């Protein structure tokens, strides 16, 4: 007997846009750093800062599956999920995936924060470097470069985990494109916030970052 499935929307457009835009921006940040295009590196960093700030806000007031309370659970629940066979299904992020989101967001916040104080000792300096000593700036620059390797490692783990899910028949990759997921249980659809609400938040954040950080860099292009 075939198991009846229902198709429900679990990911809102703002969350999906954040996910794929973040992937593109991290790739662009790596490439611009590799080829020494530091002005473009800064521009992409400030665009990523806009997205990360939005995601942190959306984690509290956004759609059900985007909220931190939806997937940031007690460690014992994560351990229980890791031990469970077969794995219980999850509408949004499973407990392990939820912790990955928190760690990745935390590493990106650290990356963006240290970048504000970093220097390449040639042409480019972070906008807040005047607040710290040269020794502190050097240490923060080292942390900025080292932490990016951690981000790449986390991204690799994330990709492997997604491929494992797809191989096992849970196509979460497709769901992050379409927003929809096929489920076998009778579950209520999560409450999804309006994308217009998200747009207003993003524009407000972007306006502030443009005024404080982006405009001076763009003016030198």
């Amino acid at each position: 007997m075939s198991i009846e499935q229902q198709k429900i929307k679990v990911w809102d457009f703002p969350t999906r846009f954040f996910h794929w835009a973040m992937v593109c921006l991290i790739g662009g940040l790596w490439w611009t750093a590799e080829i020494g295009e530091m002005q473009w590196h800064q521009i992409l960093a400030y665009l990523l800062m806009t997205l990360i700030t939005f995601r942190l806000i959306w984690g509290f007031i956004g759609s059900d599956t985007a909220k931190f309370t939806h997937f940031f659970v007690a460690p014992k629940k994560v351990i229980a999920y890791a031990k469970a066979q077969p794995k219980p299904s999850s509408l949004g992020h499973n407990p392990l995936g939820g912790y990955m989101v928190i760690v990745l967001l935390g590493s990106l916040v650290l990356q963006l924060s240290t970048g504000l104080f970093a220097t390449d000792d040639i042409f480019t300096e972070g906008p807040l470097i005047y607040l710290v000593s040269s020794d502190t700036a050097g240490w923060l620059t080292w942390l900025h470069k080292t932490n990016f390797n951690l981000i790449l490692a986390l991204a690799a783990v994330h990709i492997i985990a997604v491929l494992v899910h797809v191989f096992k028949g849970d196509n979460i990759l497709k769901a992050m494109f379409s927003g929809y997921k096929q489920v076998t249980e009778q579950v209520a659809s999560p409450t999804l916030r309006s994308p217009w609400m998200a747009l207003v938040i993003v524009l407000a954040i972007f306006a502030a970052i443009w005024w404080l950080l982006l405009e001076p860099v763009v003016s030198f292009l």
Side-chain angles (χ1 to χ4, degrees), residues 106-179:
S107 64
L108 287 171
V109 169
L110 177 62
Q111 188 70 7
L112 293 168
S113 300
T114 54
L116 296 174
F117 303 92
T119 175
D120 63 0
D121 293 321
I122 304 175
F123 298 113
T124 309
E125 294 181 338
L128 301 184
I129 195 170
Y130 68 92
L131 295 175
V132 298
S133 66
S134 59
D135 288 343
T136 301
W139 180 78
L140 290 171
T141 301
W142 171 85
L143 182 59
H144 184 71
K145 294 177 179 179
T146 303
N147 185 63
F148 193 71
N149 293 328
L150 172 63
I151 292 172
L152 293 178
L154 290 172
V157 172
H158 181 64
I159 291 170
I160 292 171
V162 168
L163 292 176
V164 169
H165 274 274
V166 173
F167 179 76
K168 290 184 175 181
D170 182 12
N171 198 341
I172 58 177
L173 184 63
K174 181 179 178 181
M176 190 51 73
F177 275 109
S178 68

Side-chain angles (χ1 to χ4, degrees), residues 24-124:
C24 294
L25 286 173
I26 289 176
L29 285 164
W30 170 79
W31 178 245
T32 50
E34 286 291 309
I35 64 176
E37 289 287 347
M38 298 313 295
Q39 283 184 305
W40 281 105
H41 186 78
Q42 285 184 304
I43 290 172
L44 295 181
Y46 297 147
L47 292 177
L48 182 60
M49 185 179 293
T50 301
L51 286 179
I52 295 297
T53 304
F54 160 75
R55 184 63 183 90
L56 294 175
I57 294 173
W58 204 241
F60 292 99
I61 66 172
S63 303
D64 286 349
T65 47
K67 288 182 178 178
F68 299 133
T69 53
H70 180 81
F71 56 80
F72 190 53
V73 298
K76 64 180 182 180
K77 291 185 178 181
V78 178
I79 295 172
Y81 175 83
K83 292 180 178 179
Q85 293 296 337
K87 304 294 186 195
S89 60
S90 303
L91 262 188
H93 293 292
N94 62 53
L96 281 174
Y99 269 58
M100 172 60 78
V101 171
I102 297 299
V103 172
L104 186 55
L105 285 176
S107 64
L108 287 171
V109 169
L110 177 62
Q111 188 70 7
L112 293 168
S113 300
T114 54
L116 296 174
F117 303 92
T119 175
D120 63 0
D121 293 321
I122 304 175
F123 298 113
T124 309

